[in-house]
Amino acid sequence: MTQLNMHFSEDEQSRKVRNGALAAIVTQVVRVATQTGSVILLSRLLTPVDFGTYAMASPVLAFAVLFQDLGLGHATVQKDELTQTELSALFWVNLSVGAVLAVTQVALSPLVARFYSVPNLAPLTSGMSVTLLLSGADVQHLSLLTRQMRFWTLAGLESAAALTGLATSVVVALVYHSYWAILAGSLASGLVLAGGAWLSSGWLPSKPGSITAARDMLNFGLGVTGYNFAEFLSRNTDGVLIGKVWGTASLGAYNRAYRLLLFPLQQVSNPMVRIMLPTLSGLLKEPERYRESFRRAVLPAFLLVLPGVAFMIASADTLVETLLGGQWSEAAPIFVALGIAGLLQTSNSPATWLFLSQGRAKEYMRWGLFSVATSIVAFICGLPFGPVGVASAYSISECVRTPILWWLIGRSGPVRHRDLMKVVGPHLAGALASVVTVSLLHRWLLTRSIGGIPDLAACFVSYVVSLAIVALFPACRREMWRYARSVRGG
């Protein structure tokens, strides 16, 4: 019988967290490689019309995905003591919701085709609904693997799914040269992930029964879903407003700047939630170990990401041109304007670990609603000044929200306001010092016309400055020495 409740010693848990970090790096490398390979290979085998057709149908699926697991995956990971009855109830809820969403998408597919006046969209939109069924069938099995902290198993499954999806898309594109190749890859990936999750977890659900026993977990999941919906609105409203008022060219520049900044942040923040949610949830009854694990996780995550974001902001003029090309020069000032929001969102990302691991899903949802409301107000205020105005107003709103967020987080739970100041404050100070220092150095080096060396030197200096500032704080310095000793010790 599959073990639902795992208890680890401090050494075992530390080892699993380290393994989780390494597994996340491997998974992200495979994921980025397959995504890049997909863009390159499929772009040579399919036409812009194929990609455009698929893009027309995608928003319907993207919206449905918001509700496919109802936050019940996080509920499974967070639960202190989980029973077979509770897990089975959540499984059948997820499967039923996936089926309802799939049927709804099939029913809406003719309307999507009529909206765009493209008849082929109806069968394509219907075909996409199968992914919702697959996702509904594997949510609890994947969450159980996360709860058990089997991160290498998850890394293997996700890597195998990504590679299978890429191979399937390429083969189907070679044979049929149609947008169906993109869907075939997505379905193959989902099938491998779902099948692998069932086989790896070894867990089988009981027969459908009452969901009363899992009522608290359902309430938790609804809070997470409410936050995800608010986040969806926040991530998309700015683009809709800019496109409506300023047109496609301005929206294109804003979109590229936004994606360029957001992509590297997502590669760290999303895997960290998977690692830290089971870690902290298991320590909720041991406040001191909870705080210690939180401090230990924040240090490497922030030292890895924040100096990099600072460098990107300070060297945006050449960075955007180098990565995107000279025709995207309009995106550089937008990127800079979004930079402060990027820094703060990175430093705020551990709030998700704390909200969810402490079971504070309702507060999490309320925070999401407050965040989206203030973001939309900021978008409207900045809209008359173009994409740069929208980006600047968004960064200002993030500055206003950040202290409110940490005040809210520190009101209860093992991590209090003083702990947050000692953990987050030094890294923010280091990142801001890096922005100033690297900006000055970057411009000085550019005046010497030393080619590609300025960016390399500026990136190195960004990490050195941030590390030096963080090391000035005793608590961070002790944690850095601890990491150094652990590395030397093997």
Side-chain angles (χ1 to χ4, degrees), residues 156-322:
L157 291 176
E158 293 178 353
S159 298
L163 292 169
T164 302
L166 174 60
T168 303
S169 291
V170 170
V171 170
V172 175
L174 283 169
V175 176
Y176 295 104
H177 296 282
S178 167
Y179 50 78
W180 287 102
I182 307 174
L183 178 58
S186 178
L187 294 178
S189 178
L191 188 61
V192 168
L193 187 61
W198 276 69
L199 293 173
S200 300
S201 69
W203 177 76
L204 294 175
S206 305
K207 294 180 180 180
S210 173
I211 63 172
T212 304
R215 182 181 300 167
D216 290 341
M217 299 177 73
L218 288 169
N219 289 334
F220 179 96
L222 289 175
V224 175
T225 302
Y227 176 87
N228 290 339
F229 179 69
E231 184 77 356
F232 176 84
L233 292 178
S234 178
R235 297 291 187 194
N236 291 275
T237 303
D238 50 352
V240 172
L241 293 174
I242 291 172
K244 177 67 175 178
V245 176
W246 291 95
T248 55
S250 294
L251 177 58
Y254 184 89
N255 177 266
R256 290 302 85 191
Y258 189 86
R259 297 298 175 189
L260 184 61
L261 179 65
L262 190 65
F263 181 76
L265 303 184
Q266 289 177 331
Q267 307 316 302
V268 176
S269 60
N270 292 343
M272 285 301 294
V273 172
R274 168 178 285 181
I275 296 169
M276 294 311 299
L277 180 55
T279 301
L280 296 178
S281 296
L283 299 175
L284 199 54
K285 294 180 180 179
E286 303 177 66
E288 186 54 43
R289 284 186 63 192
Y290 186 104
R291 285 190 292 272
E292 185 68 17
S293 293
F294 175 71
R295 287 194 296 266
R296 290 182 177 182
V298 164
L299 181 72
F302 279 9
L303 283 181
L304 176 66
V305 180
L306 286 176
V309 176
F311 156 72
M312 293 170 70
I313 296 169
S315 60
D317 50 353
T318 57
L319 185 69
V320 170
E321 183 176 352
T322 300

Side-chain angles (χ1 to χ4, degrees), residues 108-195:
L108 291 174
S109 59
L111 299 179
V112 176
R114 187 178 302 174
F115 178 80
Y116 287 106
S117 299
V118 179
N120 292 340
L121 280 179
L124 178 60
T125 306
S126 296
M128 286 180 169
S129 66
V130 179
T131 62
L132 297 170
L133 287 174
L134 292 173
S135 296
D138 68 15
V139 169
Q140 293 306 318
H141 294 79
L142 292 171
S143 298
L144 186 56
L145 291 173
T146 302
R147 179 181 176 85
Q148 296 169 343
M149 302 184 79
R150 295 172 59 184
F151 298 120
W152 277 115
T153 300
L154 289 164
L157 291 176
E158 293 178 353
S159 298
L163 292 169
T164 302
L166 174 60
T168 303
S169 291
V170 170
V171 170
V172 175
L174 283 169
V175 176
Y176 295 104
H177 296 282
S178 167
Y179 50 78
W180 287 102
I182 307 174
L183 178 58
S186 178
L187 294 178
S189 178
L191 188 61
V192 168
L193 187 61

